[in-house]
Amino acid sequence: GFTSWLATNTHAVTLFVIGDLFLSKEFERWFSELLAKYPTRLTVGCHGWSHKSWSAWPEDAKSFSEDLAKATEVISKHAGDSFRPWFRAPGGYMSPWMASVLAENDYVLDSSVHPSWLVKRKAGKGNSWQDVDEALVESGVVSRPWKTHWSLPMNGPALSLFPLSLIAK
């Protein structure tokens, strides 16, 4: 479906890719064909090695850093010039402690902050989205938060869940 959608428009798109997807030859082939067909429209960022939601678990900077390094190596190898050191946390789970790990791994942008009270638990126990944003600023990582309206989500699951779908449109 995504490939068909790309053929219907000229929008620039950033894909946040999970590193372990490249263990699948089918995904690797599809991804390679996609980049070859749309080399100037696609940029590729990192969505982690697996889809582990790090802030949903106890802090583990060492393991997060190892997974991030492994994902970066694999994704950048396959994406080539389309790769950017941009991160989007799996499941939207982003805690303040993750910011310094991103910076240590040379990431310059994060698009994980989802400043809605509906998903505040994704900032990790006892944290707020403001805490995450401040940690990103302190670490020198630019934050590109998700769009909200009246402090309600307008993208992601909001695109299909009533009544959030009403403001997402």
Side-chain angles (χ1 to χ4, degrees):
F2 179 67
T3 305
S4 298
W5 177 82
L6 279 173
T8 67
N9 63 77
T10 58
H11 300 302
V13 176
T14 299
L15 302 172
F16 287 93
V17 178
I18 299 166
D20 72 0
L21 286 173
F22 290 102
L23 298 175
S24 162
K25 293 298 176 192
E26 182 179 350
F27 177 82
E28 184 178 359
R29 183 175 51 256
W30 172 81
F31 185 81
S32 178
E33 290 169 2
L34 197 65
L35 284 181
K37 191 168 185 176
Y38 303 104
T40 61
R41 287 179 52 199
L42 300 178
T43 54
V44 179
C46 179
H47 198 43
W49 173 251
S50 66
H51 207 261
K52 181 174 181 173
S53 298
W54 286 94
S55 76
W57 301 94
E59 181 177 337
D60 186 355
K62 182 179 182 291
S63 294
F64 177 53
S65 183
E66 290 168 354
D67 271 14
L68 192 58
K70 183 168 42 170
T72 302
E73 180 182 347
V74 170
I75 297 167
S76 64
K77 175 184 147 205
H78 289 280
D81 291 340
S82 296
F83 180 76
R84 302 292 184 279
W86 302 344
F87 182 76
R88 165 75 177 116
Y93 282 85
M94 179 71 178
S95 283
W97 66 265
M98 296 168 67
S100 61
V101 176
L102 289 174
E104 290 164 6
N105 282 272
D106 299 322
Y107 276 76
V108 298
L109 181 137
D110 174 80
S111 71
S112 304
V113 174
H114 199 320
S116 172
W117 59 272
L118 281 177
V119 290
K120 68 180 180 180
R121 65 181 167 76
K122 292 187 174 198
K125 190 173 183 169
N127 298 313
S128 69
W129 287 120
Q130 183 175 344
D131 296 333
V132 175
D133 199 46
E134 288 172 1
L136 288 165
V137 168
E138 189 176 297
S139 295
V141 178
V142 174
S143 176
R144 291 291 181 253
W146 286 40
K147 188 171 174 114
T148 60
H149 186 65
W150 300 318
S151 191
L152 294 170
M154 291 183 65
N155 53 6
L159 295 174
S160 60
L161 299 174
F162 181 82
L164 297 176
S165 59
L166 298 175
I167 64 168
K169 292 181 181 183

